Amino acid sequence: MLMKGQKEFGDFQREMLERAERQKELAQRKAEQQRQQEERKKKLAEYQQELSELEGAYRQGNFQLFVVYGPEGSGKTMLVQEFCGWKRRIFFKASGKDMIDQKNFAERVQGHYEKPGAEPLTSWSSVFKYIAINEQGKNRKDERLVLVLHEFPAPVKRDDLFMKMFKDAIDQYLSQTKILMIIINSDTEFMQKYFLDENALLHPNVSGCIRLENNKLDYDETDKIADEAARNAKGISNARMKIQKFSADDIILREGETNSVMYKIITGSAVCWFNYGTDDEYVLASMAEGECFGEYSVLTGNPSIYTVVAFSDMLVMKISKEDLITFVEMNTKNAIDIMENSAKMLNVMAMNIEMLRSE
């Protein structure tokens, strides 16, 4: 009886400790979300005029094509996401592969109209026509659709025939609706050629334009940090060549894709997302200097289960599976960093499962 009582008491203690850990994790998660919200508010405070311009376009009673462009890290995505808020929207961010993007875009659109089982749309033109058909007759402000195209697929950015098709889709289909279409792009040359120059193909269709600037890390400072990190990267062959810079809003790791390297943050911070770029996206965790990510795909060979987006300018070191053993052996703290990141993700997923069960 005594042993049974001791076992029950031990189980009770473990349960209390686990509950305390969950509560601590929830409190930390809430604090981190509040910190990110404050950072976001601080940056968005600089863009009140731009938000006002987008709201003005949204209030118009006809089709609008609005362009938001500027260098990587200037906050284009954050600005448009803030503007979209709770508005009815389709937000599509291209991966850079034409056929895959067309298929994903079609599926996103059909899912928005709750017709995922409909006949597949096999061309960009058919997708734009499908949107226009579904938007016919929607005149109230609260019905208005915001259609965001974030970056064009790389293979079509220099394709005059594709851009001609895009203009035809606007002229023939989309212009007959109340849609506010927003084009987000980092390629200034592309934007000038097709949208901004007076003789540009789509210039007559453009209703408004916002250019954002960027305050990036000083180039010399970045080089010094990278050189120092490479000198301290014991066990990594050609370490300087494996240090990469990312700007705010850059996607470093994409959910569903298999990657051959993991990453260690040298400077800057990133946000880990689930279902990134969809209406159901949410933050899993934030990561800062010294932390690692991407180990799951490298160690298992399976696709990544989350997307990592740079929150600020970043320097990261890419670590291949071949370098991983030496990387850990030469500095045991690296092993702790990797395990801590894995444990953090497992904790978040466990909490999400628990929340789903309680609903």
Side-chain angles (χ1 to χ4, degrees):
M1 290 295 292
L2 182 61
M3 290 182 63
K4 182 179 179 182
Q6 289 175 332
K7 182 178 182 302
E8 289 176 349
F9 182 70
D11 291 342
F12 175 75
Q13 281 187 313
R14 280 192 295 274
E15 184 181 344
M16 290 299 100
L17 287 171
E18 289 172 1
R19 183 176 298 179
E21 283 297 318
R22 287 197 297 270
Q23 290 173 342
K24 181 181 177 181
E25 180 69 27
L26 284 169
Q28 290 174 340
R29 182 179 178 185
K30 185 176 180 179
E32 179 58 28
Q33 287 175 337
Q34 289 176 339
R35 185 192 68 78
Q36 291 176 8
Q37 288 171 358
E38 289 302 315
E39 288 286 340
R40 187 182 181 91
K41 287 178 183 178
K42 184 177 179 181
K43 194 166 185 179
L44 283 169
E46 304 171 8
Y47 292 149
Q48 292 307 304
Q49 181 179 340
E50 289 80 2
L51 286 169
S52 179
E53 289 181 44
L54 290 171
E55 287 291 347
Y58 183 72
R59 288 193 295 268
Q60 297 298 315
N62 57 344
F63 173 80
Q64 298 278 305
L65 173 61
F66 218 92
V67 171
V68 178
Y69 76 111
E72 292 182 352
S74 55
K76 303 181 298 296
T77 306
M78 183 181 66
L79 171 69
V80 175
Q81 286 179 332
E82 178 70 14
F83 160 72
C84 286
W86 294 103
K87 298 178 178 71
R88 194 167 67 89
R89 69 189 186 277
I90 298 175
F91 194 110
F92 181 74
K93 187 166 187 175
S95 67
K97 299 176 182 179
D98 182 20
M99 295 305 295
I100 294 175
D101 278 327
Q102 190 278 320
K103 180 175 180 292
N104 291 343
F105 183 44
E107 290 175 352
R108 177 74 57 78
V109 167
Q110 289 182 311
H112 176 82
Y113 294 108
E114 298 182 350
K115 299 175 182 177
E119 184 177 344
L121 303 169
T122 56
S123 70
W124 289 95
S125 180
S126 65
V127 181
F128 292 126
K129 183 178 180 180
Y130 179 88
I131 294 172
I133 290 171
N134 280 277
E135 290 301 310
Q136 291 292 335
K138 294 183 178 178
N139 297 312
R140 295 204 320 267
K141 180 182 175 181
D142 61 346
E143 292 180 328
R144 191 171 194 190
L145 175 72
V146 181
L147 175 60
V148 182
L149 299 181
H150 194 318
E151 305 293 346
F152 275 70
V156 303
K157 285 175 70 171
R158 301 289 183 266
D159 187 340
D160 289 341
L161 289 177
F162 176 88
M163 298 309 296
K164 177 66 167 57
M165 177 281 301
F166 183 58
K167 178 174 173 56
D168 288 343
I170 291 175
D171 292 339
Q172 296 175 24
Y173 311 131
L174 300 177
S175 63
Q176 311 305 312
T177 71
K178 310 295 184 183
I179 291 172
L180 168 58
M181 175 183 279
I182 301 176
I183 306 295
I184 306 176
N185 210 279
S186 305
D187 189 335
T188 301
E189 181 184 346
F190 168 73
M191 299 306 289
Q192 292 289 345
K193 179 178 179 181
Y194 289 108
F195 294 91
L196 303 176
D197 287 345
E198 286 189 8
N199 297 321
L201 179 66
L202 284 128
H203 185 267
N205 301 92
V206 176
S207 309
C209 170
I210 291 174
R211 175 178 172 81
L212 298 183
E213 299 298 338
N214 186 25
N215 296 318
K216 293 190 174 184
L217 284 171
D218 178 77
Y219 180 81
D220 291 336
E221 180 188 358
T222 301
D223 259 8
K224 289 177 184 177
I225 295 171
D227 290 341
E228 180 66 17
R231 284 193 293 270
N232 295 327
K234 299 176 182 179
I236 303 296
S237 58
N238 300 316
R240 186 62 180 85
M241 300 295 292
K242 294 175 181 176
I243 294 175
Q244 186 174 354
K245 181 178 179 181
F246 289 95
S247 299
D249 296 337
D250 283 354
I251 295 180
I252 304 172
L253 192 66
R254 192 182 292 274
E255 181 179 345
E257 292 184 358
T258 303
N259 53 295
S260 59
V261 296
M262 58 171 285
Y263 300 85
K264 183 178 178 70
I265 300 174
I266 298 171
T267 185
S269 59
V271 180
C272 181
W273 295 81
F274 185 68
N275 286 336
Y276 181 73
T278 72
D279 292 343
D280 297 320
E281 67 180 16
Y282 61 89
V283 174
L284 289 174
S286 63
M287 293 168 287
E289 182 177 329
E291 295 189 76
C292 299
F293 60 91
E295 72 284 351
Y296 173 81
S297 189
V298 172
L299 294 173
T300 66
N302 294 326
S304 174
I305 55 178
Y306 50 74
T307 295
V308 177
V309 182
F311 184 75
S312 64
D313 282 3
M314 296 179 68
L315 285 177
V316 301
M317 179 172 288
K318 298 187 292 185
I319 303 159
S320 66
K321 191 171 185 178
E322 291 72 28
D323 283 330
L324 188 55
I325 294 176
T326 313
F327 175 69
V328 170
E329 285 178 344
M330 298 295 287
N331 184 354
T332 53
K333 186 179 182 302
N334 291 318
I336 301 298
D337 292 337
I338 294 169
M339 288 189 289
E340 283 182 346
N341 182 69
S342 297
K344 182 191 294 185
M345 295 305 169
L346 286 171
N347 276 337
V348 172
M349 290 176 186
M351 283 190 297
N352 288 330
I353 291 171
E354 191 62 33
M355 285 189 286
L356 286 172
R357 284 176 176 170
S358 63
E359 288 179 355

